[in-house]
Amino acid sequence: MAAQTLRMTALGAVLALGLAGCGGDGAGGSSNSADAAPEDLTIGVSMPTETSERWIADGAAVESQLEDAGYQVDLQYAGDDIPTQSQQVDQMITQGADLLIIAAIDGTALSSQLDAAAAEGIKVISYDRLIRDNENVDFYVSFDNYKVGVAQGTALLTGLGLLNEDGSPGTATGPFNIELFAGSLDDNNAGFFFNGAIDTLQPFIDDGTLVVKSGQTEIDQAATLRWDQATAQRRMDDLLTRSYNDGSVVNGVLSPYDGISRGIITSLQNAGYGAADKPIPVVTGQDAEIASVKLIADGVQNSTIFKDTRLLAEQAVIAAEAFLEGDTPEANDTTTYDNGKKVVPSYLLPIQTVYKDDIQSVLVDSGYWSADEVAKGQADD
Ligand code: GAL
């Protein structure tokens, strides 16, 4: 009996080894992917939310470019819910994904999924938001996120007339009242944006040209959980009630993302800003979301930072193909993105500030939005 059990156990081990070597079938079929045809490989694409159209555009661009390259794609949106994203990624792994592309909701919440992926030999590409505190992040595709913050700070200074568009000193002297907003603290990008902006604004705060009247200058005070528009609107309401009920006005608001900018603008409009005697403050943004592009065209929002999601998707696909062919993707930054466990090799794309005058040349001429979509403030299906 004992001998038989031993034989059975040995047989089980041989079978298990055989299965593990199979690749392509069942869970974690990535080990032999270099020999497999693209149509036999599945790429799991995990996106955070469909409430922001940028992620819809990202998901669609990644999916179509992967499909054009011949791969099967399993694209999932997690509704900004952390457990949903964990579960979706778990499922991708158990269903045999050969590679994962993940834009995390909470950059620290996917460790067990990444460990499971690594155990199956599945490469993980972190998409735009760096996954933190785990060494099994194989590559990162994003933009230069600190520069995004610098560009947002610069746009605020330019909008106030403290700088000209060419970066030379403007004619305005201030002092100007400003307020600061940051993104979701569980997103690694939020700190990069805020730091880039604050480093740019700090000299003007130090010499009294800019005054943060609420006194809320720390990122924890300025943060907006899940980058949520309604949360930003409530905080702006609160700031106006608490710090501007003495007849003083807000002249500028640093906003890290268009959805947050729209919340801020709604709050300001509800408080009478935008009327002839009370100009709308300079409000920055990011992502060139169509509703905000219209607000910029209408002179309501000052600017946005354009990050071309088509190019980001392309880089993710290039990296995915390299891994699946058994190669290492080319990085253009190997120093900036330390995720707490390792510096993740990254490919960072350039960004562009878009003011009203740039909408045509940057967004319409490149085919990102049509003139008609800009006029409507809505994307065509
Ligand atoms: C960040 C991203 C921004 C913006 C924000 C809210 O991670 O870098 O471009 O999209 O999320 O979705």
Side-chain angles (χ1 to χ4, degrees):
M1 187 66 185
Q4 193 177 2
T5 309
L6 194 64
R7 261 202 317 278
M8 294 285 288
T9 312
L11 182 66
V14 169
L15 274 176
L17 275 176
L19 282 176
C22 258
D25 299 320
S30 66
S31 43
N32 286 345
S33 63
D35 306 325
E39 53 273 25
D40 295 328
L41 299 173
T42 300
I43 300 179
V45 181
S46 171
M47 290 281 150
T49 177
E50 282 173 297
T51 55
S52 148
E53 86 213 352
R54 84 145 277 192
W55 297 113
I56 299 175
D58 283 272
V62 173
E63 182 177 45
S64 69
Q65 291 182 31
L66 285 172
E67 284 176 352
D68 288 350
Y71 297 102
Q72 308 284 329
V73 181
D74 179 7
L75 168 64
Q76 305 280 342
Y77 284 90
D80 252 344
D81 183 56
I82 298 163
T84 301
Q85 185 164 44
S86 306
Q87 195 196 337
Q88 287 173 341
V89 175
D90 274 333
Q91 215 164 60
M92 288 171 184
I93 297 168
T94 53
Q95 287 176 355
D98 295 280
L99 182 136
L100 295 169
I101 297 175
I102 304 173
I105 299 165
D106 178 332
T108 62
L110 289 169
S111 253
S112 71
Q113 284 69 31
L114 260 53
D115 290 344
E120 302 282 357
I122 302 169
K123 298 283 187 201
V124 174
I125 298 172
S126 197
Y127 188 92
D128 200 34
R129 298 173 170 178
L130 185 64
I131 301 176
R132 293 194 52 86
D133 302 340
N134 190 290
E135 62 207 33
N136 302 313
V137 184
D138 297 290
F139 202 71
Y140 180 43
V141 291
S142 189
F143 297 83
D144 189 325
N145 293 305
Y146 179 83
K147 271 197 199 147
V148 170
V150 172
Q152 288 168 338
T154 305
L156 185 57
L157 295 173
T158 308
L160 291 170
L162 293 167
L163 291 181
N164 298 315
E165 271 192 39
D166 64 6
S168 60
T171 49
T173 51
F176 295 114
N177 292 326
I178 63 163
E179 294 299 334
L180 310 172
F181 280 69
S184 197
L185 295 183
D186 50 9
D187 179 342
N188 192 57
N189 289 343
F192 279 85
F193 300 151
F194 197 72
N195 290 342
I198 293 300
D199 289 351
T200 309
L201 300 175
Q202 196 65 52
F204 296 84
I205 295 175
D206 288 346
D207 73 8
T209 308
L210 296 179
V211 179
V212 183
K213 194 148 185 284
S214 67
Q216 298 192 6
T217 54
E218 299 300 322
I219 189 167
D220 309 34
Q221 300 170 305
T224 314
L225 185 66
R226 298 284 107 76
W227 305 85
D228 181 59
Q229 179 167 340
T231 304
Q233 185 175 335
R234 277 195 301 275
R235 176 162 179 260
M236 192 70 229
D237 287 347
D238 200 47
L239 291 171
L240 291 174
T241 313
R242 282 215 244 164
S243 307
Y244 296 88
N245 58 4
D246 57 358
S248 59
V249 293
V250 192
N251 304 114
V253 184
L254 173 77
S255 166
Y257 156 62
D258 285 344
I260 291 178
S261 314
R262 293 196 296 276
I264 293 165
I265 287 169
T266 304
S267 166
L268 290 164
Q269 287 173 331
N270 289 344
Y273 285 87
D277 58 338
K278 205 174 178 189
I280 195 92
V282 177
V283 180
T284 62
Q286 174 174 207
D287 283 352
E289 293 203 331
I290 192 62
S292 288
V293 176
K294 178 168 167 48
L295 288 174
I296 296 167
D298 293 346
V300 178
Q301 185 172 320
N302 167 265
S303 55
T304 189
I305 309 300
F306 175 49
K307 307 196 302 190
D308 195 331
T309 50
R310 298 167 300 189
L311 300 182
L312 187 61
E314 188 175 293
Q315 276 314 316
V317 173
I318 290 171
E321 281 185 300
F323 278 132
L324 291 170
E325 285 163 11
D327 296 331
T328 306
E330 190 193 319
N332 65 3
D333 184 297
T334 51
T335 55
T336 308
Y337 287 98
D338 188 334
N339 81 344
K341 290 283 182 199
K342 74 182 217 195
V343 178
V344 183
S346 309
Y347 197 98
L348 307 181
L349 290 154
I351 55 151
Q352 260 174 303
T353 304
V354 175
Y355 298 105
K356 183 176 181 170
D357 290 350
D358 307 307
I359 293 174
Q360 179 68 34
S361 61
V362 178
L363 300 176
V364 178
D365 292 350
S366 72
Y368 198 77
W369 296 123
S370 69
D372 185 48
E373 288 172 314
V374 174
K376 286 187 304 198
Q378 229 185 325
D380 291 335
D381 291 333

